[in-house]
C-alpha cells in the first residue's frame, strides 16, 4: 500500500533516497524562467530603442518646424516638450513622476525573478521599456536632471500628444489587465477567482 501511495504522489521519503526523485523537474524550471527574463529584456530593449530613436529624430528634424500631417487632419507629428504626466497634467510634479517611473522599474526588476509566463514577460517588457524611455527624458533633457520634459510627437485629432514610450506603457498595462482577468499570474499559475 505504501508503494502505491508513492506512485500517485503522496509525499513520502525513505532512507534509500527513492522519495528524492520527485524533485527532478526543478532544474527544467530554471532555464524556462531565464528565457522569460530574456524575453522581458528583449521586449524592453526594443521598446526603449524605438522610443529613443524616434525622439532623437523628432528633436533633430521636427522641433522648431511646422507639424507634419500624416493622415489629413486625423493624425500629425508635432514636437512638444511635456514636463507633466499624461495629457500634460501635473507640470509642477516632474520630480514626483521621475520617482514613480524609477519605482516602477524597480518593481518590474524584482517581479522578473518569479517570472514564468511569456505573456507577462511581454507586458512587463513593454512597461519597462516605456518607463525607461520617459525616465531617460526626465533625467537628461532640459531644463535639468530629474526635471526634464518628455518629448511627445504623435498627435491624433482631439486627443493628447504622446510618444512611443507612452504607447508601450499603455499596451503593457492593457495586456496586464487582460492577463489578470484571465487569471494568469506572472509565475505562470492560473487561478479561477
Amino acid at each position: 500500500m505504501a508503494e502505491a501511495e508513492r506512485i500517485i504522489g503522496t509525499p513520502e521519503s525513505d532512507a534509500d533516497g527513492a522519495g528524492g526523485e520527485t524533485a527532478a523537474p526543478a532544474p527544467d524550471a530554471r532555464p524556462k524562467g531565464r528565457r522569460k527574463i530574456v524575453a522581458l529584456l528583449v521586449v524592453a530593449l526594443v521598446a526603449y530603442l524605438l522610443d529613443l530613436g524616434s525622439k532623437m529624430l523628432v528633436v533633430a528634424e521636427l522641433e522648431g518646424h511646422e507639424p507634419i500631417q500624416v493622415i489629413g487632419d486625423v493624425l500629425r507629428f508635432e514636437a512638444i516638450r511635456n514636463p507633466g504626466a499624461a495629457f500634460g497634467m501635473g507640470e509642477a510634479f516632474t520630480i514626483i513622476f521621475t520617482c514613480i517611473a524609477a519605482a516602477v522599474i524597480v518593481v518590474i526588476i524584482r517581479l522578473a525573478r518569479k517570472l514564468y509566463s511569456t505573456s507577462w514577460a511581454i507586458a512587463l517588457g513593454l512597461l519597462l521599456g516605456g518607463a525607461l524611455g520617459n525616465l531617460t527624458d526626465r533625467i537628461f533633457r532640459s531644463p535639468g536632471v530629474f526635471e526634464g520634459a518628455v518629448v511627445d510627437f504623435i498627435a491624433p485629432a482631439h486627443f493628447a500628444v504622446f510618444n512611443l514610450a507612452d504607447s508601450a506603457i499603455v499596451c503593457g498595462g492593457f495586456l496586464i489587465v487582460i492577463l489578470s482577468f484571465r487569471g494568469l499570474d506572472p509565475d505562470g499559475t492560473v487561478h479561477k477567482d
Side-chain angles (χ1 to χ4, degrees), residues 21 93 116 161:
E21 291 178 7
F93 302 105
Y116 288 92
V161 182

Side-chain angles (χ1 to χ4, degrees), residues 50-171:
L50 286 173
D51 179 65
L52 185 64
S54 65
K55 288 175 180 174
M56 290 171 67
L57 186 63
V58 164
V59 169
E61 301 294 328
L62 190 57
E63 203 165 51
H65 296 86
E66 289 294 314
I68 298 171
Q69 300 295 351
V70 180
I71 304 173
D73 291 336
V74 177
L75 178 67
R76 71 183 188 284
F77 290 157
E78 179 179 7
I80 293 177
R81 298 288 181 118
N82 179 6
F87 309 109
M89 296 184 298
E91 292 182 16
F93 302 105
T94 305
I95 293 175
I96 293 171
F97 298 134
T98 304
C99 293
I100 291 170
V104 166
I105 292 166
V106 169
V107 168
I108 291 170
I109 290 169
R110 291 197 62 188
L111 225 138
R113 295 181 295 161
K114 299 176 184 177
L115 190 61
Y116 288 92
S117 165
T118 302
S119 300
W120 271 94
I122 292 168
L124 293 174
L126 288 168
L127 283 177
L128 181 59
L132 284 171
N134 284 339
L135 184 62
T136 300
D137 281 0
R138 301 265 183 222
I139 294 173
F140 296 108
R141 296 209 187 271
S142 61
V145 177
F146 300 117
E147 297 178 353
V150 173
V151 175
D152 289 333
F153 63 93
I154 303 169
H158 313 296
F159 195 71
V161 182
F162 58 95
N163 57 43
L164 294 181
D166 298 333
S167 299
I169 291 168
V170 169
C171 290

Side-chain angles (χ1 to χ4, degrees), residues 3 6-7 12-14 16-27:
E3 183 70 19
R6 262 189 265 134
I7 291 172
E12 271 191 29
S13 61
D14 46 14
D16 63 0
E21 291 178 7
T22 58

